[in-house]
Amino acid sequence: MVTEKAKAKFVDEIPNEVMSLLEKEGVKKEDILFFAKSDLNKDGYFCDNYAALTNENLYVIENNAIMAYPLTKDVKFNNENLIATGSIVLTRDGEDFPIISYTNTYMRKFGHLARLATKIVEGMPLSDDDFDIDLGEEFCPKCGSRLPRNNRLACPKCLNKKALFLRVLSYLPRYKFELFLVFLYIFLSSMISLVRPIVSGRYLYDEVLTPGGRFYGQIISIVLVLIVLEVASVSITILRGRNQAGLSAKIIYDIKLELFSAMSKLSMSFYNSKQTGSLMTRINNDALDIQYFLNYGVPDFVVNALTLVSITVIMFMFNPLLAIFVFLPVPLIVYMTRRVIPRFHKLKWATWVRNSRLNSLINDSLSGARVVKAFGKESSEINRFKQYNENLLQARLKEGYNRARTFPVFSYIMNIGGLFVWSFGGYSVISGIMTFGTLMTFIGYLGMIYSPIDYMVHTFDWYTNCMNSAQRIFDIIDRKSDVPESPNPVRMPNIKGDITLKNVYFAYEPNKNVLKNINLEIKAGQMIGLVGHSGAGKSTITNIITRLYDVDEGDVLIDGVNIKDIDLNDLRSQIGMVLQETFLFSGTIAENIAFARPDATREEIIKAAKLANAHEFIMRLPDGYDTVIGKRNTNLSGGERQRIAIARAILVNPKILILDEATASVDTETERQIQEALQNLIKGRTTIAIAHRLSTLKDADKIVVIEHGEIKEMGTQEELIKLDGIYNKMLNLQKEALKIKGEELL
Amino acid sequence: MMEPSIKEAVDINYLRPDKTKFYKTPGGFLGVIVDGKDYKRIETYRCFPIKNENKYISIRTFEEEIGIIEDLNEFPPEQRELIEEELEKRYFMPKILSAKSIKEEFGYSYWDVTTDRGDRNFTVHDISSNMIVKPDGSIILMDIDGNRYFIEDIEKADDKIRKILDLWL
Ligand SMILES: Nc1ncnc2c1ncn2[C@@H]1O[C@H](COP(=O)(O)OP(=O)(O)OP(=O)(O)O)[C@@H](O)[C@H]1O
Ligand SMILES: [Mg+2]
């Protein structure tokens, strides 16, 4: 039975006018099992249509008209996916009719609707489990914008920018002492720079050089004072530089560490959707931006604000009228900066984009160096690089030219203020309203005031820049993993190895189911073989069992516990994988074998290598286990790499062993040897082996034939041969092929 | 299912107008009779959907390819329209006519636009990786659900659109 509570989240959103249409048909609200809104009509125009499911009918409401489709035995409902749209198609008497259409946004919901309808048609009872799913269409509660699937906490548009800023600042308190010093130095140097114009202006001219002044004639003393100030200022600058360099290193270390650990936690789908090059540029540039902002931006802001305010106060105290002249051009400067800066921002962004594209290209090209050389495409790669580089150059030039054009204008405007002060001040001095010393102090301050103003105006630009970087970084740090760890994970340090897949559906992309209704039971210690055409979904099944991805619907159980509840560490540490694409890290062979268990002893490493039949070839290498594997592993053959990967899996001593084409790149003789090794290895372990070469699977307890994401046949080899279906055909084909090669299969 | 011989697998079976007749099913889907053989429900795919020309159109049942139309323009208008209609359904891609507002913030952009298929709100993440720029200056944009939108000519597009896409061109 389905409880009201279970289905509530799907039926709560029925609009009133739709409900009244349904009521006219005699449908009560509590009869409705499932309700879905679509955004498209059958002619391909955007509009709101609805579907409602009861135990008797599927209702479709389009254009205020309601249609009822009875759920009788003679109909079938299917969710058909096109590229960006889908339809529920009803099949009756061998004829297909589309009954409602929708865009990808609602694909999952309608897919589920079709499955529920099918269940009812087939007379299967619905239960609360059928409603305990996340259909992943989330909209921002505040503005209604569509949110990305499953991995956002808040709509970025409605995100609180102040909170963002505070969060960036929250990095600072960790370095209390360093910060205190920075601010202390800042304070001292501002004081000095404020005092200096007074000494070198007012005191020098009015008190020392003018007859009758308080210190008339004491030139040596005043020069000494000036020297002391100068020395103090230089020392403070040096100290502050040292201090900030240290602080800066720590901040960047922290940010990068946090980022990197966040990225490692992300699920595979994140890495699949990002180009690695752009990811690296992003991390480096963004972390740098934040670091600059914290390390220089914030303190400099304080310095400049402090200087600006004190100078203003002092100037107005000395001579308000003259002070006004100084500030005359300020509004003009601010206005210009505000207008011009966004353009720079844009240009800078364009440079960033191009830079990251170039990095991507370099990354691609280097990873694919073998392919490039094999096809003799070096020159076209160079051309591609040239073009990207040229694009980057253009962007840089544009940015540079703009800078070069704009900044002289700025300084000219600033100088206008100086001219005012000179002329008005000079006039005041001559007419005796003001002393020459005061004028010189003013001139001194004049030189100091525009740079803080300029800075403050730029701060805005910096600030946005940094907030953008921060947002991108927090976007990664905050991203809810697609495979979230359960809040109360079940600790399972000793997995037995029973694996159950129940009605599993999975899609990498929302509109393409790769696994459809997979039901599979593997007992602890069994070996099962997965076979099927390339792209059938074999590797995908293993991805799901290792929880690199979470299923969309259905359950994966290990020892009867839902995989989503199992402590991820416990799970992964007891699964060993030998993958189709072997990846070796740069490092020694020993390190690679011990990758998952860095604490392994040398004896263990050698034993594992022997089991994997890798020992012999490793010993033939001059550096043995200490051989450093090149960046792209070019110095080992495909089969050799695969055997290292097998050794790696053996060393983990996993309860569940996954062999995805583990022996695909070795010759038959070596394969036989590895097989023997594996035979030892798989004893007492649950093993899932994927193989195109069917001979590899002859000892499997169960062979599962996958086609287009569905299980088509299942049984022991004999049973499948007797069945004379897909498996038998594959077997015969391979036998024939091997006969030609003069090899024997079974 | 017997494995096809190499020759069968490699040769392209071109569908020519004289031997191919498309028709509409009662449900509004497409069927085809090729050399007298009736396929009750077929699907049409473009081999090069981004190029989006009337060339190389694959006609398939749910299981396999029946053949390829090399150039749709060889077919009589009424047949052509049937297929074009079907293609349009499959490659549903509203054309953006104007933008009411586009807001970009922190890597996401929020579009409120009028298309030739009605008004629409959608969200694009990371424009650079979800935009295809074609040599003719048109642009395909993919939102976070994988829906596609078409901008016919970036030079002639709304200022709001240009402003946001210019950064990536
Ligand atoms: N990361 C991914 N994103 C999107 N689609 C994917 C991804 N990985 C695989 N697919 C698709 O899923 C389907 C099944 O892939 P899978 O790797 O499971 O096949 P397989 O049975 O292991 O094939 P093979 O024998 O060639 O290794 C394929 O159609 C493939 O294109
Ligand atoms: Mg695979």
Side-chain angles (χ1 to χ4, degrees):
Chain A
M1 247 335 275
V2 183
T3 58
E4 288 295 319
K5 199 166 145 260
K7 62 183 197 188
K9 68 174 165 174
F10 300 112
V11 297
D12 269 358
E13 49 197 56
I14 307 179
N16 288 337
E17 64 274 16
V18 176
M19 196 59 236
S20 58
L21 275 172
L22 284 164
E23 273 160 0
K24 267 187 217 143
E25 293 283 310
V27 181
K28 288 195 283 297
K29 182 149 188 206
E30 57 268 28
D31 298 335
I32 300 174
L33 294 166
F34 194 85
F35 181 82
K37 181 186 145 202
S38 98
D39 51 353
L40 198 69
N41 67 15
K42 274 175 285 189
D43 302 327
Y45 285 85
F46 294 124
C47 61
D48 292 350
N49 296 320
Y50 307 89
L53 183 74
T54 67
N55 267 317
E56 287 76 35
N57 288 299
L58 176 62
Y59 295 94
V60 171
I61 297 101
E62 187 163 334
N63 278 336
N64 283 325
I66 190 162
M67 275 290 291
Y69 300 96
L71 304 179
T72 49
K73 286 264 181 236
D74 57 339
V75 298
K76 271 211 292 239
F77 294 98
N78 245 320
N79 165 32
E80 281 188 12
N81 298 331
L82 301 184
I83 307 292
T85 61
S87 305
I88 292 208
V89 174
L90 171 143
T91 310
R92 193 195 294 134
D93 304 330
E95 205 58 67
D96 293 346
F97 300 90
I99 59 176
I100 186 165
S101 301
Y102 32 86
T103 71
N104 276 346
T105 311
Y106 296 96
M107 186 72 72
R108 281 154 66 83
K109 206 163 197 176
F110 279 91
H112 195 64
L113 176 71
R115 272 195 289 285
L116 291 182
T118 305
K119 265 190 144 176
I120 297 175
V121 166
E122 288 172 1
M124 289 194 277
L126 298 187
S127 74
D128 281 3
D129 284 349
D130 289 311
F131 295 87
D132 181 23
I133 60 164
D134 178 12
L135 291 172
E137 51 174 70
E138 292 167 30
F139 296 84
C140 174
K142 241 168 139 180
C143 66
S145 293
R146 178 78 177 86
L147 293 181
R149 184 180 165 195
N150 281 346
N151 52 18
R152 293 288 318 187
L153 303 166
C155 158
K157 189 163 120 187
C158 296
L159 198 102
N160 188 338
K161 266 176 260 174
K162 208 161 92 201
L164 191 66
F165 178 62
L166 289 180
R167 181 159 172 201
V168 173
L169 286 189
S170 74
Y171 277 94
L172 287 177
R174 297 179 204 175
Y175 322 98
K176 279 194 198 76
F177 182 64
E178 286 93 337
L179 263 183
F180 169 74
L181 284 182
V182 168
F183 281 107
L184 181 71
Y185 295 143
I186 286 172
F187 182 74
L188 290 178
S189 58
S190 318
M191 282 298 114
I192 292 175
S193 48
L194 281 180
V195 170
R196 204 166 31 199
I198 300 184
V199 176
S200 65
R202 203 156 191 190
Y203 279 87
L204 181 62
Y205 291 106
D206 294 352
E207 310 286 354
V208 177
L209 295 180
T210 311
R214 265 185 288 164
F215 311 110
Y216 180 59
Q218 299 181 20
I219 296 191
I220 301 286
S221 318
I222 196 137
V223 168
L224 274 180
V225 171
L226 280 174
I227 287 175
V228 168
L229 285 179
E230 207 59 49
V231 169
S233 154
V234 170
S235 340
I236 289 174
T237 311
I238 291 172
L239 283 174
R240 183 180 153 196
R242 273 181 51 139
N243 189 254
Q244 274 184 325
L247 182 61
S248 140
K250 284 182 198 167
I251 294 179
I252 196 104
Y253 174 85
D254 272 11
I255 296 179
K256 285 202 174 162
L257 186 67
E258 197 169 331
L259 246 177
F260 189 76
S261 26
M263 283 178 44
S264 322
K265 272 187 296 201
L266 290 175
S267 54
M268 292 304 296
S269 47
F270 178 78
Y271 290 97
N272 286 338
S273 65
K274 291 271 166 242
Q275 287 168 306
T276 337
S278 112
L279 204 65
M280 308 232 302
T281 330
R282 168 195 267 199
I283 288 178
N284 278 323
N285 285 358
D286 290 348
L288 266 183
D289 267 352
I290 294 192
Q291 179 223 346
Y292 273 128
F293 185 77
L294 290 177
N295 198 14
Y296 300 101
V298 175
D300 283 358
F301 181 82
V302 177
V303 179
N304 286 304
L306 212 69
T307 321
L308 198 58
V309 171
S310 3
I311 293 180
T312 312
V313 170
I314 297 176
M315 287 209 293
F316 274 92
M317 265 161 47
F318 280 166
N319 189 335
L321 199 58
L322 202 52
I324 288 175
F325 277 114
V326 174
F327 284 100
L328 223 49
V330 169
L332 193 61
I333 293 175
V334 173
Y335 169 76
M336 279 206 44
T337 320
R338 291 298 296 263
R339 268 202 53 145
V340 176
I341 287 306
R343 203 164 75 217
F344 276 119
H345 189 60
K346 241 179 157 171
L347 291 174
K348 199 179 154 197
W349 179 245
T351 313
W352 187 87
V353 170
R354 280 164 202 199
N355 193 22
S356 112
R357 283 194 193 143
L358 185 69
N359 275 349
S360 248
L361 177 81
I362 294 173
N363 215 345
D364 257 19
S365 227
L366 293 183
S367 325
R370 272 186 69 176
V371 181
V372 173
K373 286 201 185 305
F375 286 95
K377 282 290 171 202
E378 289 95 334
S379 59
S380 78
E381 278 298 291
I382 293 173
N383 277 336
R384 220 149 66 101
F385 178 83
K386 256 193 203 146
Q387 198 192 333
Y388 276 63
N389 207 11
E390 172 79 27
N391 288 346
L392 178 60
L393 176 72
Q394 290 307 338
R396 286 235 164 96
L397 283 180
K398 212 164 152 191
E399 198 186 338
Y401 286 157
N402 252 294
R403 245 174 232 289
R405 245 203 327 266
T406 319
F407 285 105
V409 179
F410 271 107
S411 37
Y412 179 72
I413 295 176
M414 289 182 201
N415 288 337
I416 292 176
L419 294 180
F420 276 128
V421 173
W422 274 113
S423 38
F424 183 76
Y427 178 75
S428 310
V429 171
I430 287 168
S431 49
I433 307 170
M434 192 171 70
T435 63
F436 183 63
T438 311
L439 177 61
M440 286 317 285
T441 305
F442 251 91
I443 301 289
Y445 283 143
L446 190 65
M448 287 166 58
I449 198 160
Y450 288 124
S451 118
I453 291 177
D454 185 41
Y455 179 87
M456 298 304 249
V457 181
H458 279 91
T459 302
F460 183 74
D461 173 36
W462 261 42
Y463 172 78
T464 16
N465 222 344
C466 170
M467 288 305 118
N468 270 326
S469 296
Q471 176 53 38
R472 280 196 294 266
I473 283 189
F474 292 147
D475 188 40
I476 295 179
I477 293 179
D478 290 348
R479 199 174 276 255
K480 269 198 269 163
S481 173
D482 278 355
V483 288
E485 174 116 59
S486 137
N488 318 300
V490 181
R491 293 301 312 260
M492 294 180 67
N494 285 307
I495 288 176
K496 249 173 57 212
D498 286 327
I499 304 173
T500 313
L501 275 73
K502 270 206 307 211
N503 308 329
V504 165
Y505 286 82
F506 176 76
Y508 289 103
E509 287 153 33
N511 57 347
K512 204 182 144 209
N513 264 334
V514 172
L515 297 182
K516 286 165 242 165
N517 200 15
I518 299 283
N519 283 291
L520 185 59
E521 187 127 0
I522 308 168
K523 297 238 166 51
Q526 273 192 338
M527 170 177 178
I528 71 140
L530 292 181
V531 301
H533 292 288
S534 178
K538 304 180 294 293
S539 302
T540 308
I541 291 186
T542 67
N543 284 343
I544 274 169
I545 293 174
T546 48
R547 224 181 150 211
L548 289 178
Y549 294 89
D550 266 344
V551 296
D552 292 329
E553 279 176 53
D555 292 310
V556 180
L557 310 175
I558 290 187
D559 294 354
V561 182
N562 193 321
I563 196 170
K564 288 181 186 171
D565 299 327
I566 301 176
D567 185 284
L568 258 181
N569 232 340
D570 284 350
L571 176 73
R572 299 237 173 101
S573 66
Q574 292 177 75
I575 296 184
M577 291 226 265
V578 182
L579 292 184
Q580 209 164 4
E581 304 102 26
T582 337
F583 186 84
L584 300 184
F585 297 91
S586 36
T588 66
I589 289 185
E591 281 165 0
N592 264 289
I593 294 179
F595 174 71
R597 265 193 56 207
D599 59 324
T601 63
R602 287 180 206 179
E603 189 194 346
E604 286 175 311
I605 292 178
I606 294 174
K607 268 192 178 157
K610 281 198 144 179
L611 262 177
N613 224 310
H615 182 69
E616 285 311 311
F617 90 77
I618 294 174
M619 289 323 291
R620 276 198 297 275
L621 297 168
D623 293 339
Y625 283 85
D626 286 331
T627 306
V628 175
I629 296 170
K631 254 220 152 96
R632 304 284 162 200
N633 338 318
T634 33
N635 46 4
L636 292 180
S637 79
E640 288 167 343
R641 266 180 284 159
Q642 222 157 25
R643 278 178 278 168
I644 291 183
I646 293 173
R648 186 192 280 165
I650 291 174
L651 194 61
V652 180
N653 192 17
K655 283 288 153 44
I656 297 172
L657 184 66
I658 290 172
L659 305 169
D660 192 343
E661 302 275 346
T663 50
S665 327
V666 296
D667 61 285
T668 355
E669 183 47 36
T670 318
E671 183 185 11
R672 199 155 292 169
Q673 290 169 3
I674 296 179
Q675 283 259 296
E676 278 164 30
L678 289 177
Q679 221 61 59
N680 294 325
L681 182 65
I682 62 181
K683 264 187 211 123
R685 289 170 223 280
T686 310
T687 308
I688 300 173
I690 299 177
H692 281 302
R693 221 182 281 168
L694 300 176
S695 59
T696 321
L697 302 174
K698 59 175 185 285
D699 298 315
D701 295 296
K702 194 159 35 171
I703 290 172
V704 181
V705 182
I706 315 276
E707 217 177 78
H708 299 304
E710 286 172 284
I711 294 185
K712 283 284 155 72
E713 292 172 13
M714 187 150 55
T716 61
Q717 173 151 321
E718 284 83 55
E719 284 169 1
L720 292 185
I721 290 176
K722 228 185 266 160
L723 187 71
D724 194 19
I726 303 171
Y727 180 81
N728 200 33
K729 271 194 195 122
M730 288 168 70
L731 198 61
N732 286 335
L733 274 171
Q734 288 203 355
K735 265 189 200 157
E736 262 170 48
L738 286 179
K739 239 183 245 150
I740 300 170
K741 280 206 246 160
E743 293 183 32
E744 194 190 323
L745 188 69
L746 287 171
Chain B
M1 180 178 62
M2 205 37 223
E3 295 287 320
S5 74
I6 291 290
K7 191 159 163 42
E8 259 175 75
V10 170
D11 276 355
I12 297 177
N13 177 25
Y14 285 116
L15 301 178
R16 304 289 177 202
D18 49 334
K19 290 183 174 165
T20 317
K21 181 123 188 77
F22 294 94
Y23 64 89
K24 234 184 169 118
T25 69
F29 292 110
L30 212 53
V32 68
I33 300 170
V34 181
D35 281 337
K37 189 165 178 212
D38 189 356
Y39 299 89
K40 289 255 185 282
R41 230 197 110 184
I42 54 140
E43 300 192 288
T44 56
Y45 286 85
R46 292 183 193 281
C47 295
F48 306 98
I50 303 298
K51 282 212 176 66
N52 194 21
E53 294 163 345
N54 268 351
K55 297 227 166 92
Y56 293 99
I57 290 155
S58 169
I59 307 296
R60 320 173 60 93
T61 67
F62 284 107
E63 280 81 36
E64 55 181 0
E65 186 170 270
I66 302 168
I68 285 184
I69 295 178
E70 190 177 11
D71 185 355
L72 192 55
N73 296 331
E74 287 174 10
F75 280 74
E78 125 285 331
Q79 289 273 296
R80 201 165 66 212
E81 270 161 34
L82 281 180
I83 297 166
E84 279 173 348
E85 189 186 321
E86 196 66 16
L87 285 171
E88 199 162 302
K89 252 191 240 166
R90 173 163 306 277
Y91 299 98
F92 179 72
M93 190 161 60
K95 195 191 287 173
I96 297 180
L97 302 175
S98 65
K100 276 179 259 176
S101 96
I102 305 173
K103 242 189 114 160
E104 190 186 32
E105 207 142 40
F106 306 138
Y108 291 82
S109 48
Y110 303 86
W111 298 61
D112 183 358
V113 300
T114 306
T115 74
D116 59 344
R117 301 309 179 99
D119 290 355
R120 178 83 172 167
N121 269 308
F122 63 95
T123 300
V124 181
H125 182 206
D126 188 8
I127 292 182
S128 73
S129 49
N130 287 299
M131 174 172 81
I132 300 170
V133 184
K134 298 209 276 175
D136 64 359
S138 63
I139 284 175
I140 295 171
L141 208 58
M142 271 161 284
D143 76 2
I144 52 174
D145 293 308
N147 298 319
R148 290 145 191 248
Y149 304 89
F150 187 65
I151 297 168
E152 197 159 38
D153 186 353
I154 183 66
E155 298 301 331
K156 294 200 192 105
D158 219 288
D159 275 352
K160 293 195 190 88
I161 298 175
R162 288 207 45 169
K163 211 170 124 200
I164 194 160
L165 294 185
D166 260 353
L167 293 178
W168 304 99
L169 297 173

